[in-house]
């Protein structure tokens, strides 16, 4: 695996930060079953619309969810490509050469 670019690192960091909140993880778990209307998410998560919108915006800005408007409601779904790329990035951490860094100044 080639080293990630600065842009790829930045995007991975943004996505990991978005996942670093229990409420946002709960939202993703709700969306794992498929697209959901924000009105249903509010009820199922017992969350006020303003707080839910804040967390959905964070997930959307990180590219982890997509949305579509239908009438006055917005429907959200997981962006599977974004999760696959994040999974690939994390999996790539296992592929780092273990001999890298040998002979450093601290030996």
């Amino acid at each position: 695996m080639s080293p990630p670019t600065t842009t790829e690192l930045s995007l991975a960091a943004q996505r990991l930060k978005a996942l670093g909140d229990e409420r946002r993880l709960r939202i993703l778990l709700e969306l794992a079953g498929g697209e959901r209307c924000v009105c249903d998410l509010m009820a199922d998560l017992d969350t006020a619309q303003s707080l839910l919108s804040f967390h959905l915006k964070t997930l959307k800005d990180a590219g982890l969810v997509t949305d579509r408007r239908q009438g006055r409601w917005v429907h959200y779904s997981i962006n599977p490509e974004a999760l696959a790329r994040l999974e690939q990035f994390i999996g790539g951490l296992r592929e780092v050469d273990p001999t890298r860094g040998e002979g450093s100044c601290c030996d």
Side-chain angles (χ1 to χ4, degrees), residues 24-35:
R24 290 192 283 269
L25 289 173
R26 288 185 190 280
I27 291 168
L28 288 175
L29 287 171
E30 289 291 324
L31 296 176
E35 182 182 77

Side-chain angles (χ1 to χ4, degrees), residues 71-83:
R72 62 183 282 237
W73 294 108
V74 180
H75 297 256
Y76 289 88
S77 58
I78 288 178
N79 179 354
E81 182 181 313
L83 288 181

Side-chain angles (χ1 to χ4, degrees), residues 7-94:
T7 302
E8 290 169 334
L9 284 174
S10 178
L11 184 56
Q14 182 184 18
R15 288 177 174 166
L16 289 168
K17 284 179 190 176
L19 293 174
D21 181 274
E22 182 180 339
R23 195 172 307 255
R24 290 192 283 269
L25 289 173
R26 288 185 190 280
I27 291 168
L28 288 175
L29 287 171
E30 289 291 324
L31 296 176
E35 182 182 77
R36 300 288 304 278
C37 176
V38 71
C39 60
D40 293 330
L41 290 172
M42 285 171 39
D44 292 347
L45 296 169
D46 192 28
T47 304
Q49 187 271 332
S50 59
L51 182 59
L52 183 59
S53 290
F54 168 79
H55 288 296
L56 285 166
K57 180 178 181 340
T58 301
L59 291 168
K60 184 178 173 187
D61 289 348
L64 295 170
V65 300
T66 59
D67 65 345
R68 69 172 182 87
R69 184 168 290 278
Q70 182 176 353
R72 62 183 282 237
W73 294 108
V74 180
H75 297 256
Y76 289 88
S77 58
I78 288 178
N79 179 354
E81 182 181 313
L83 288 181
R85 285 187 176 172
L86 187 56
E87 183 179 6
Q88 182 180 28
F89 174 81
I90 292 171
L93 296 175
R94 291 185 300 236

Side-chain angles (χ1 to χ4, degrees), residues 88-105:
Q88 182 180 28
F89 174 81
I90 292 171
L93 296 175
R94 291 185 300 236
E95 297 172 12
V96 174
D97 180 1
T99 62
R100 185 174 172 204
E102 285 184 3
S104 69
C105 67

